[in-house]
Amino acid sequence: MTVSYGEFVRRGAQVLRDEKPRERAAFYFSPSNAGACKRELFLEATGRYRFEPDDILLGIMQDGETHEDLTLRQLREGGVEVVGVQAPLDLLIEDAGDAALFLAGSGYARCPVCGVGFESGVSVLHGHADALLRNPETGETEVFEHKAVSGAHFDRLTQVLEKKGFGPFFRESRRYVVQAGLYAAVLGLSEERGAEAVLFYKNRNRPEFLEVRLRYEPGEDALRFVEAHLVREGRARRLSAEPVVLARFLERLERRLRDVGQAVRMWRESGGENAFVEVLKEVRRLTSDELRECRFCEARMACARTFGGLLERQRTAERDEGERREVRPEDLGADEETHRRLEELAEQFAHLDEELKRIEKQRDEAKRELTRILDEFWEKGMLMPNDCVRLPRVRVWRTVFEREEFDRQLFEGLSEEEKEVVRRCLTSRVYSYWSCRTEAASSNPKREKRNSVAKNRMVSEFSR
């Protein structure tokens, strides 16, 4: 009989869960959730959704803590001074408004994590930075936020940052960036100077690290993306991403929290009716980045129920053509003249599309037969690469070139020994194709030849 140890693990987890149930803390704002979607914060604050990780997710979170402890030990051994671990950092919010319901002091008196108490009547955004480090070069204290992620997640973040820049990266990691930025802001305001934070991603599967350095400027209320480094295969490489500034960083954040607090108050006063919807500005057509985030959000079902099926309508709109929702002009409220004009244009488009397909098919057949005949002369050696055959109203020539593709920026960063290894590993590919153009549309064959020669010269110079 085959034994499934996974089933025994599931049973054991259930026994442990029954013996030691987890306490559910009341919802409150913190740096770790301040960057979340306002819909998600609203759902948690009103009790319509509660983040309750299962045993598998709890195991992943505990594994992340193990990675964090290991990284901090390695930093100490490497000569970096760790000033504090899980350091409490507080941001005083003077104009809290309705957000005071969920802030330390005005909303709750004692932190459920560290147990520190707060003065009644004040509104404080309270959190705990993973670590505070002493920068070995500048001697200044800076925030260190550690995130251990899967290999697939790590690769996606690296690609987004390297290919698209800090802006798309912020949308991809908004919650973490806001968290690290808040800690840097608290540190900078307390010392009346700019302060920096390092958002440190560790690949769980491979010894790779992605470091994103942020800097908060108190005088400008701006969070800047300073630089990013990728450590892979024992070598650090700076990613060439354009700098980005998040202006009015704290001002916008406080306004987000007030919006959520106001929506919660309106929901309570209206007995749970939808009066809160107008307050949450994010109830709108979602962008592709936000929609992707929604697909992985634990609150997506509660969100779809609460906000009138918004997410489901958008998922339907993104399905393939066979499953798209059909809408007629009369469904859009179009008048009779607009309706008639749309039908005329549609009929004209359909007719022209059929004619274009028929003509393109005939053109392709003529080109295939023309180049088939010229291929016979090519095989006999009577035509050479880039020879132009002049026919009535048409010119035909065959282009042949060899190209080696490589990442020159990455290549220049290698040592001479490594460059030599790369040169030996390079393979060449020969491209050969016919070009057939009418005289009116054809480009200059001499120019085409010069461009091909230039490309080949670049490859040959690299290969030497």
Side-chain angles (χ1 to χ4, degrees):
M1 178 179 179
T2 304
V3 174
S4 172
Y5 288 107
E7 179 63 21
F8 284 96
V9 170
R10 186 194 64 80
R11 293 178 192 173
Q14 183 65 47
V15 171
L16 293 174
R17 185 164 52 245
D18 294 340
E19 290 179 352
K20 189 178 181 180
R22 293 188 295 271
E23 296 183 3
R24 287 176 52 168
F27 172 81
Y28 59 91
F29 290 138
S30 70
S32 61
N33 66 18
C37 169
K38 287 193 287 189
R39 294 186 295 272
E40 180 183 348
L41 292 175
F42 171 83
L43 293 169
E44 285 202 76
T46 56
R48 294 187 169 201
Y49 159 73
R50 177 71 68 177
F51 175 65
E52 292 184 332
D54 56 18
D55 294 286
I56 295 177
L57 186 54
L58 279 175
I60 294 176
M61 295 168 65
Q62 292 169 356
D63 182 54
E65 294 174 358
T66 302
H67 281 282
E68 179 183 328
D69 293 340
L70 176 60
T71 299
L72 291 178
R73 289 204 308 271
Q74 292 170 335
L75 284 172
R76 289 190 183 96
E77 292 298 325
V80 177
E81 180 185 354
V82 179
V83 179
V85 177
Q86 291 301 312
L89 294 173
D90 299 333
L91 176 66
L92 178 64
I93 299 181
E94 297 180 354
D95 184 18
D98 292 317
L101 295 168
F102 307 105
L103 292 171
S106 54
Y108 62 96
R110 189 169 298 278
C111 174
V113 178
C114 65
V116 66
F118 300 95
E119 179 184 347
S120 176
V122 300
S123 297
V124 175
L125 186 64
H126 174 71
H128 309 86
D130 288 340
L132 297 178
L133 306 180
R134 187 86 64 195
N135 189 308
E137 296 183 1
T138 64
E140 295 183 350
T141 302
E142 54 190 27
V143 177
F144 184 80
E145 270 300 302
H146 187 281
K147 308 297 178 186
V149 298
S150 67
H153 189 186
F154 185 91
D155 291 339
R156 174 172 176 78
L157 290 175
T158 303
Q159 291 172 6
V160 168
L161 185 57
E162 191 165 21
K163 296 181 179 179
K164 300 182 180 180
F166 280 125
F169 174 82
F170 170 69
R171 291 190 291 271
E172 189 82 18
S173 304
R174 180 178 57 184
R175 186 189 291 251
Y176 293 157
V177 171
V178 169
Q179 180 184 12
L182 272 171
Y183 292 142
V186 173
L187 200 60
L189 291 170
S190 63
E191 300 184 7
E192 298 182 351
R193 61 168 178 80
E196 297 188 352
V198 174
L199 189 54
F200 188 89
Y201 287 94
K202 178 180 181 181
N203 190 331
R204 296 175 188 263
N205 307 108
R206 301 186 298 273
E208 299 176 348
F209 313 103
L210 175 64
E211 305 173 50
V212 179
R213 182 169 290 274
L214 312 169
R215 182 175 181 82
Y216 178 77
E217 299 291 352
E220 306 173 21
D221 187 21
L223 182 67
R224 301 178 184 276
F225 286 80
V226 179
E227 61 182 0
H229 287 89
L230 174 64
V231 179
R232 175 174 285 168
E233 296 179 353
R235 184 182 295 106
R237 178 167 61 92
R238 181 172 179 174
L239 302 183
S240 56
E242 292 294 327
V244 171
V245 178
L246 302 181
R248 306 197 312 277
F249 177 66
L250 292 184
E251 177 188 337
R252 292 180 175 181
L253 177 73
E254 292 174 8
R255 185 170 66 245
R256 283 171 54 84
L257 301 184
R258 286 196 297 271
D259 285 347
V260 176
Q262 183 183 358
V264 174
R265 177 179 57 78
M266 294 179 66
W267 176 78
R268 290 175 177 175
E269 292 175 353
S270 63
E273 296 298 325
N274 290 345
F276 58 85
V277 169
E278 293 300 322
V279 180
L280 300 182
K281 304 301 183 184
E282 293 187 24
V283 182
R284 54 174 168 73
R285 174 75 186 174
L286 301 174
T287 66
S288 58
D289 289 322
E290 290 168 329
L291 192 60
R292 181 185 181 279
E293 182 181 348
C294 289
R295 292 194 184 103
F296 296 95
C297 178
E298 295 288 336
R300 61 185 178 276
M301 297 306 296
C303 186
R305 290 193 302 267
T306 302
F307 296 104
L310 174 69
L311 302 182
E312 182 58 35
R313 288 201 301 273
Q314 303 218 17
R315 276 195 293 269
T316 302
E318 291 205 344
R319 290 173 185 160
D320 60 28
E321 187 173 356
E323 297 180 344
R324 286 178 181 162
R325 180 171 66 100
E326 290 190 359
V327 180
R328 298 183 179 276
E330 52 266 28
D331 299 331
L332 304 175
D335 56 36
E336 184 176 350
E337 182 179 355
T338 303
H339 193 168
R340 184 173 61 255
R341 180 60 176 158
L342 287 172
E343 290 184 343
E344 291 175 355
L345 290 172
E347 185 65 30
Q348 181 182 358
F349 175 83
H351 172 72
L352 293 175
D353 186 63
E354 292 176 356
E355 285 296 307
L356 182 61
K357 290 178 179 177
R358 181 181 62 81
I359 294 172
E360 286 181 339
K361 183 178 179 180
Q362 293 177 351
R363 183 198 62 183
D364 293 341
E365 289 176 352
K367 180 181 178 180
R368 280 195 297 270
E369 180 61 19
L370 190 154
T371 55
R372 186 193 65 79
I373 295 174
L374 292 179
D375 267 329
E376 297 177 0
F377 294 99
W378 176 271
E379 295 297 333
K380 296 176 182 178
M382 302 177 68
L383 283 175
M384 301 298 291
N386 294 314
D387 281 352
C388 180
V389 180
R390 190 180 184 90
L391 299 171
R393 297 181 59 194
V394 174
R395 294 178 180 179
V396 186
W397 66 92
R398 184 163 185 166
T399 301
V400 179
F401 65 94
E402 181 180 1
R403 184 167 65 189
E404 295 172 342
E405 299 176 353
F406 64 97
D407 188 330
R408 177 170 290 276
Q409 183 178 1
L410 181 60
F411 177 80
E412 293 300 333
L414 301 178
S415 65
E416 289 302 322
E417 293 78 8
E418 291 169 327
K419 287 181 180 179
E420 185 60 34
V421 174
V422 172
R423 291 190 183 101
R424 291 199 301 269
C425 295
L426 278 175
T427 58
S428 300
R429 179 176 298 179
V430 176
Y431 295 85
S432 176
Y433 58 89
W434 284 104
S435 296
C436 184
R437 298 286 186 274
T438 61
E439 288 190 349
S442 63
S443 56
N444 190 331
K446 293 183 178 179
R447 181 178 301 171
E448 292 287 337
K449 185 172 183 178
R450 286 198 301 270
N451 292 341
S452 299
V453 170
K455 292 178 183 177
N456 296 336
R457 184 183 300 118
M458 180 189 70
V459 173
S460 61
E461 288 176 354
F462 170 77
S463 302
R464 282 201 295 268

